[in-house]
Amino acid sequence: MIGGVASPPRGDVVLSIDAMSGDRGVADVLRGMGKSLEADPRLRYILHGDAEVLDRALRAGSPLAARTEIRHAESVIGMEEKPSRALRRAQGSSMWSALQAVKSGESPAAISAGNTGALMALSMLALRKAPGVSRPAIAVLWPSVNPAGYNVLLDAGADIRADAADLVKYALMGASYARNALDVARPRIGLLNVGTEEHKGRPELREAAEMMVTAAPLGEFDYIGFVEGNDMASGRVDVIVTDGFTGNIALKTGEGTALMIRDQLRQAFAYSLFSRAGALFALGSLRRLGARIDPRNVNGGVFLGLNGLVIKSHGGADATGFAAAIRLAGNLAERGFTRKLAARMALGAPSDAEESAPEGATT
Amino acid sequence: MIGGVASPPRGDVVLSIDAMSGDRGVADVLRGMGKSLEADPRLRYILHGDAEVLDRALRAGSPLAARTEIRHAESVIGMEEKPSRALRRAQGSSMWSALQAVKSGESPAAISAGNTGALMALSMLALRKAPGVSRPAIAVLWPSVNPAGYNVLLDAGADIRADAADLVKYALMGASYARNALDVARPRIGLLNVGTEEHKGRPELREAAEMMVTAAPLGEFDYIGFVEGNDMASGRVDVIVTDGFTGNIALKTGEGTALMIRDQLRQAFAYSLFSRAGALFALGSLRRLGARIDPRNVNGGVFLGLNGLVIKSHGGADATGFAAAIRLAGNLAERGFTRKLAARMALGAPSDAEESAPEGATT
């Protein structure tokens, strides 16, 4: 559980998994499922894809096979496919099938490593926007020095534009997500801008800043003003709100920087016999650091604002990454996150912190 | 010299330095000047600020004092001052005085650690836009795996908007800057976007992409298409072109990520006796890594598109950072960069790689 507290055991949680759409292939998906089952034995899976392939890959009699129902899908949406083409080819694809299991209520959450644009297009078609939501957004977790260990960034790329009203709704959705994914009771929200002074930035940001003052009590969050790129990891904010163009670029810049430094660190330690010895001594420390900046451990962009939960796993995620996305889906599902968020967006009032019944498929 | 080759000795290079506007104070500016003079004894300085303060701080008889002319300025532009107010208060300030020495031709370049918005506003008023330039841009160097060690990013925050034509002009200016600052003969230029597919991103980016095809031979660069946030440090591009809003956020996100990892690394090594021993063994490696990801070593946003060179040093830069900004100014001045860039923007044709005469104040 990411940043969460232990919950009392409940019934099974059924997750709907697209086995086919990632870059990595079925084997990593199954290994990720296996890891997630070890971590939480109450999970069950509906697995969508080529039944023959999946049947062969899933060893009969294994603990995972006992908890998995295979559902055949003829086709696969490609990683480079345009959303418009993906929509035309949706029927019969593993991605579409995974979403249908959420629509039908069999599962509260779908997980796919497929291409983001196609997954968002199909999700909107299959699940529709929740009442009160004009633009769904993708929320991601980013390592920070906050006690929860992460900040929330949204929109990470669902839509390349957002006006002032959209940004305020992102703040409401982000606050709800931070409460449920990170156990932050009263999230501090900041608007991403090029300066923290009130007169700076684009007009829609200044307008959103004014609207935020009235939205904050409604959404039970604290609006802390403008934040900058270097606040991504800072401890003064919990949720960073921005349009999907800027958010996507900030996210990928941060990831790229972390990966570059990791590579440099490896090279630095391979430099001499002394530094190799140093690396050996410091192995534990380096592992701790590696786990902290490893994007696989925060794998999973969550689609907010739909009638059902959809989690996008990194296209290139390995088994560890896929397992992280599954655990995130399980935790959010168990907390009834989709229903809480929908209630907040539709009515603006009831506290999602007070609700407690689990959501969706308990068997 | 950042990424450059050694040049034959020439006459003195006179640089105009705003001593007062940074967060750090006069002592760090003078230490930075001292370091830059040690690295390049041909530098001379016109130092702008409170003459009494500067006179006291600059030890009489020191090598630095022998190469420095103090020019009195009554006032200081504050770090939080709005550009509009800074413009009204420009007269008599150290920032304005530093720019006047460039306008008059006494110095080819001004360096200031003052606030970016005010420095850009005063620079445009004092130096005016070069012919053919609609929006000046701020170019920064970003550590990369390229042979030169850095990529160029622009605009890093001169202007929060840019249309397709602006982006193409940024490409022309960025190509010229990469040739002169990094010795990349034929820079590879990419447009920052949320995906590399041609159909993705904002309309102005798709339009700029089409215009880039005809601009590339004129600007003697290779247009490589769209790049993403994780290409900031990559070896497949030399110059990343974007609007100043996105560029500023990408830059600060990258910096924030690097600083967070540096702090985490320190904590990791302080964790146990073993890891402390490891850090000791690996000290050399860690120093090499630190130098690589230390923003002070690439300190200096260069204002492109004005009739004269202006370099903005980080507000919080210490002596090492200020010295880096001074060396960058000296190198670009010596190469006659401003004149080469102006010729390219005005005429579009002559190769700035072929010119060789030094520019401005040789005494």
Side-chain angles (χ1 to χ4, degrees), chain A residues 160 245, chain B residues 193-195 197-203 205-206 226:
Chain A
I160 54 169
F245 184 89
Chain B
N193 200 346
V194 294
E197 302 87 353
E198 276 178 33
H199 62 276
K200 282 205 172 168
R202 295 180 168 158
L205 283 167
R206 294 197 298 270
F226 294 138

Side-chain angles (χ1 to χ4, degrees), chain A residues 83 86-87 95 99 112 114-129 135-139 155 157-159 301-306 310 312:
Chain A
L87 280 173
M95 191 184 276
L99 292 165
S112 173
N115 99 57
T116 309
L119 183 59
M120 182 51 95
L122 267 61
S123 297
M124 283 181 65
L125 181 63
L127 303 176
R128 302 286 167 186
K129 288 185 284 188
R135 292 180 206 259
I138 301 174
D155 173 23
D159 207 317
V302 176
F303 292 5
L304 300 179
L306 301 169
V310 179
K312 151 80 172 119

Side-chain angles (χ1 to χ4, degrees), chain A residues 33-96:
Chain A
M33 289 166 62
K35 279 171 187 268
S36 69
L37 186 59
E38 278 168 32
D40 187 351
R42 293 167 307 154
L43 293 179
R44 300 185 70 94
Y45 312 91
I46 307 173
L47 190 61
H48 307 262
D50 185 313
E52 206 176 307
V53 171
L54 297 180
D55 232 5
R56 246 198 329 266
L58 198 63
R59 275 170 304 145
S62 70
L64 183 59
R67 310 280 297 175
T68 302
E69 174 197 329
I70 292 170
R71 199 159 290 177
H72 181 67
E74 297 281 329
S75 62
V76 180
I77 302 289
M79 284 305 280
E80 305 298 332
E81 221 160 302
K82 281 193 199 187
S84 53
R85 184 174 144 82
L87 280 173
R88 288 195 301 274
R89 293 187 57 237
Q91 291 288 344
S93 70
S94 59
M95 191 184 276
W96 183 249

Side-chain angles (χ1 to χ4, degrees), chain A residues 80 160-161 202-203 228 230 233 243 250 252-253 260 264-265 268-269 271 275 278 281-282 285 288-289 292, chain B residues 160-161 197 202-203 228 230 233 243 250 252-253 260 264-265 268-269 271 275 278 281-282 285 288-289 292:
Chain A
E80 305 298 332
I160 54 169
R161 292 188 197 279
R202 294 179 168 159
E228 298 189 80
N230 47 7
D243 66 89
K252 289 196 174 159
T253 302
M260 181 192 69
Q264 299 276 334
L265 203 57
F269 276 112
Y271 189 77
S275 54
F281 271 103
S285 301
R288 274 187 297 278
L289 176 66
R292 187 119 182 78
Chain B
I160 55 169
R161 291 188 196 281
E197 302 87 353
R202 295 180 168 158
E228 297 190 80
N230 48 6
D243 66 88
K252 290 196 174 159
T253 302
M260 180 193 69
Q264 298 275 333
L265 203 57
F269 277 111
Y271 189 78
S275 54
F281 271 104
S285 300
R288 275 187 295 278
L289 176 65
R292 188 118 182 80

Side-chain angles (χ1 to χ4, degrees), chain B:
Chain B
M1 174 175 290
I2 294 178
V5 293
S7 307
R10 287 182 186 137
D12 290 2
V13 177
V14 179
L15 299 175
S16 178
I17 294 180
D18 171 7
M20 313 297 286
S21 303
D23 273 333
R24 284 269 188 162
V26 169
D28 273 335
V29 169
L30 291 179
R31 268 199 296 276
M33 289 166 61
K35 279 171 186 269
S36 69
L37 185 59
E38 279 168 31
D40 187 351
R42 293 167 309 154
L43 293 179
R44 300 184 71 93
Y45 312 91
I46 307 174
L47 190 61
H48 306 262
D50 186 312
E52 207 176 306
V53 171
L54 297 180
D55 232 4
R56 250 200 325 268
L58 200 63
R59 277 170 305 146
S62 70
L64 183 59
R67 310 280 296 175
T68 301
E69 177 198 332
I70 292 171
R71 199 159 288 178
H72 181 66
E74 298 280 328
S75 62
V76 181
I77 302 290
M79 284 305 280
E80 305 297 332
E81 222 160 301
K82 280 193 198 186
S84 54
R85 184 174 145 82
L87 280 174
R88 288 195 301 273
R89 294 186 57 237
Q91 291 288 345
S93 70
S94 59
M95 191 184 277
W96 183 250
S97 182
L99 293 165
Q100 289 305 311
V102 176
K103 188 184 182 187
S104 68
E106 292 172 281
S107 165
I111 298 122
S112 173
N115 98 59
T116 309
L119 184 59
M120 181 52 93
L122 267 62
S123 298
M124 283 181 65
L125 182 63
L127 303 176
R128 303 286 167 186
K129 288 185 282 189
V133 173
S134 47
R135 291 180 206 258
I138 301 175
V140 294
L141 297 177
W142 184 256
S144 82
V145 298
N146 270 322
Y150 301 96
N151 291 343
V152 173
L153 173 84
L154 81 165
D155 172 24
D159 208 317
I160 55 169
R161 291 188 196 281
D163 64 19
D166 294 326
L167 294 170
V168 174
K169 289 194 175 172
Y170 291 174
L172 288 165
M173 297 198 288
S176 190
Y177 181 59
R179 259 191 292 275
N180 285 281
L182 300 176
D183 271 324
V184 180
R186 196 174 177 87
R188 295 159 299 167
I189 308 244
L191 279 168
L192 190 59
N193 200 346
V194 294
T196 54
E197 302 87 353
E198 276 178 33
H199 62 276
K200 282 205 172 168
R202 295 180 168 158
E204 67 267 29
L205 283 167
R206 294 197 298 270
E207 195 189 332
E210 282 172 27
M211 294 165 72
M212 220 58 109
V213 179
T214 45
L218 209 68
E220 292 174 58
F221 62 78
D222 291 326
Y223 173 62
I224 62 154
F226 294 138
V227 296
E228 297 190 80
N230 48 6
D231 285 313
M232 286 272 286
S234 90
R236 74 184 196 93
V237 64
D238 299 301
V239 179
I240 295 173
V241 169
T242 185
D243 66 88
F245 183 89
T246 312
N248 183 275
I249 282 169
L251 183 70
K252 290 196 174 159
T253 302
E255 283 177 356
T257 306
L259 290 176
M260 180 193 69
I261 295 175
R262 199 187 61 185
D263 290 349
Q264 298 275 333
L265 203 57
R266 281 200 188 129
Q267 283 176 32
F269 277 111
Y271 189 78
S272 70
L273 208 63
F274 264 131
S275 54
R276 267 183 232 142
L280 211 63
F281 271 104
L283 212 58
S285 300
L286 290 175
R287 283 219 184 103
R288 275 187 295 278
L289 176 65
R292 188 118 182 80
I293 64 174
D294 187 344
R296 294 181 307 169
N297 289 326
V298 286
N299 185 26
V302 176
F303 292 5
L304 301 178
L306 300 169
N307 295 307
L309 193 60
V310 179
I311 295 196
K312 152 79 172 117
S313 171
H314 261 300
D318 60 6
T320 304
F322 208 81
I326 294 175
R327 282 200 306 278
L328 180 60
N331 293 330
L332 290 171
E334 202 167 48
R335 287 171 168 234
F337 170 60
T338 302
R339 208 185 48 239
K340 290 178 186 171
L341 178 60
R344 189 170 286 279
M345 296 309 288
L347 306 172
S351 165
D352 51 17
E354 286 159 17
E355 305 210 9
S356 60
E359 139 184 283
T362 44
T363 57

